Amino acid sequence: MAKVIISCAVTGAIHTPSMSDHLPITPQEIAEQSIAAAEAGAAILHLHARDPKDGRPTPDPAVFMQFLPVIKQSTDAVINITTGGGLGMTVDERLAAPLQASPEMCSLNMGSMNFNIAGSAARIKQFKHEWERPYLEGTTDFIFRNTFKDIEQIVERLGKGHGTKFEFECYDVGHLYNLAHMLDRKVVEPPLFTQTIFGILGGVGAEPRNLMFMKETADRLFGKDYVWSVLAAGRNQMPFTTMAGILGGNVRVGLEDSLWIGKGKQAVSNAEQVAKIRRILEELSLEIATPDEARQMLGLKGGDRVKF
């Protein structure tokens, strides 16, 4: 088997500050947790930004630039910037930071979808900030927009304009076919780093048979033209990433995807999750890819060609 790439999604735009005291909010916290995650074994760091005053997701390039250079100076990890942004951001807002930073990699969502995280609001007894409750509850009437035109625009402006490669985020089987359509039309080029995602309300459910079907579908559609990775939300994070490793895939963990390290116990850091999945994979006699090995596997341009 090839070595396993561990990605770590450090803060995201789904969880809010009231859900965990360990969620990194400020640029300093994001940088510190990213560096620690890389030291624990993450080859790729997937990054969003938050307003340091109240923790709400922000697309502001100035905020990204407070932590991107710090991380780059302290680790060789591949930096992967979101193009999904946060709820309600326009495509131009979502692209503002990546276009300025010109990173090696960005995420790219492969279809519009319902994205319902309202249920998490009911579990919060007291909110730290006024924005959190309406942000979460509003997702019962929210469509996460990623049209074919949006996808092509992002590939054109970032991929062809900056040499950035993508983590293609596929929340359902149809998203794999959307990616295949783009490959057939030569909008995207292999190797396709395909992140299959399980357990988001609005996407495919976190059931083992769904993981198998997503992999079988990707195998049929892409053959040797893709590199498979798995993430699962919440309590499904470790079981699904373990299954992915056993099946020859790569894995993503991090506080964007789950706030937990075990049953009823919150993770105290991203590094704790990285260390756990690394330990599990190595116990299964699987080797962990270094950042440079990940770059070679994914055909990345290299950290010397970014703009931060």
Side-chain angles (χ1 to χ4, degrees):
M1 288 186 178
K3 293 186 179 182
V4 181
I5 298 170
I6 300 176
S7 296
C8 181
V10 175
T11 188
I14 296 174
H15 296 125
T16 69
S18 298
M19 296 178 185
S20 172
D21 292 334
H22 307 296
L23 186 70
I25 300 298
T26 67
Q28 181 178 348
E29 291 169 347
I30 292 170
E32 288 175 351
Q33 288 219 32
S34 296
I35 293 163
E39 291 173 348
I44 299 175
L45 300 169
H46 172 67
L47 300 172
H48 291 241
R50 292 178 180 267
D51 187 323
K53 297 190 298 294
D54 61 9
R56 82 173 67 219
T58 177
D60 187 354
V63 179
F64 277 89
M65 287 301 174
Q66 290 179 52
F67 58 78
L68 291 177
V70 177
I71 298 168
K72 186 175 186 296
Q73 289 165 10
S74 303
T75 175
D76 190 38
V78 174
I79 292 178
N80 167 354
I81 300 176
T82 179
T83 68
L87 306 181
M89 295 181 191
T90 67
V91 173
D92 284 340
E93 288 174 330
R94 288 154 53 179
L95 283 175
L99 287 173
Q100 182 171 325
S102 189
E104 292 183 80
M105 175 165 279
C106 281
S107 62
L108 179 53
N109 300 80
M110 289 312 298
S112 300
M113 60 183 290
N114 292 322
F115 201 106
N116 187 346
I117 54 174
S120 57
R123 295 190 288 272
I124 300 174
K125 295 179 180 178
Q126 186 171 356
F127 287 94
K128 294 179 180 179
H129 306 287
E130 291 184 2
W131 69 269
E132 295 179 72
R133 184 189 293 276
Y135 181 85
L136 297 169
E137 292 181 346
T139 60
T140 59
D141 191 31
F142 172 73
I143 295 174
F144 182 25
R145 172 181 164 150
N146 299 284
T147 66
F148 285 100
K149 183 177 179 181
D150 294 338
I151 293 167
E152 290 196 48
Q153 178 188 158
I154 291 170
V155 172
E156 183 69 28
R157 296 173 67 183
L158 262 181
K160 297 178 182 176
H162 290 262
T164 298
K165 296 285 189 174
F166 297 97
E167 170 198 18
F168 296 102
E169 296 195 348
C170 298
Y171 291 80
D172 216 332
V173 176
H175 292 180
L176 293 173
Y177 283 90
N178 292 349
L179 180 55
H181 171 74
M182 294 295 180
L183 180 63
D184 289 343
R185 294 181 50 233
K186 296 183 169 38
V187 175
V188 298
E189 298 176 353
L192 307 174
F193 186 43
T194 305
Q195 191 73 253
T196 50
I197 301 171
F198 303 86
I200 294 293
L201 186 56
V204 69
E207 299 178 26
R209 70 182 69 186
N210 288 339
L211 183 145
M212 294 301 300
F213 184 62
M214 290 282 275
K215 182 184 186 302
E216 290 164 3
T217 302
D219 285 344
R220 289 197 311 273
L221 292 174
F222 308 125
K224 295 181 180 179
D225 286 341
Y226 87 114
V227 177
W228 180 49
S229 185
V230 167
L231 77 86
R235 60 188 170 87
N236 296 294
Q237 181 185 72
M238 292 298 166
F240 269 64
T241 49
T242 301
M243 284 189 284
I246 292 169
L247 292 167
N250 302 282
V251 303
R252 188 175 112 173
V253 295
L255 296 181
E256 171 175 348
D257 304 333
S258 173
L259 297 173
W260 306 95
I261 194 65
K263 187 175 182 179
K265 184 180 179 183
Q266 286 197 332
V268 299
S269 68
N270 283 275
E272 186 179 21
Q273 291 184 346
V274 173
K276 180 172 181 176
I277 192 59
R278 178 176 186 168
R279 183 171 64 252
I280 292 169
L281 295 171
E282 288 181 336
E283 288 287 348
L284 295 168
S285 299
L286 296 168
E287 293 185 81
I288 306 305
T290 66
D292 281 342
E293 288 169 337
R295 288 183 174 95
Q296 184 175 6
M297 292 165 68
L298 302 175
L300 304 185
K301 66 181 181 179
D304 58 333
R305 295 179 59 195
V306 302
K307 294 182 180 179
F308 55 89

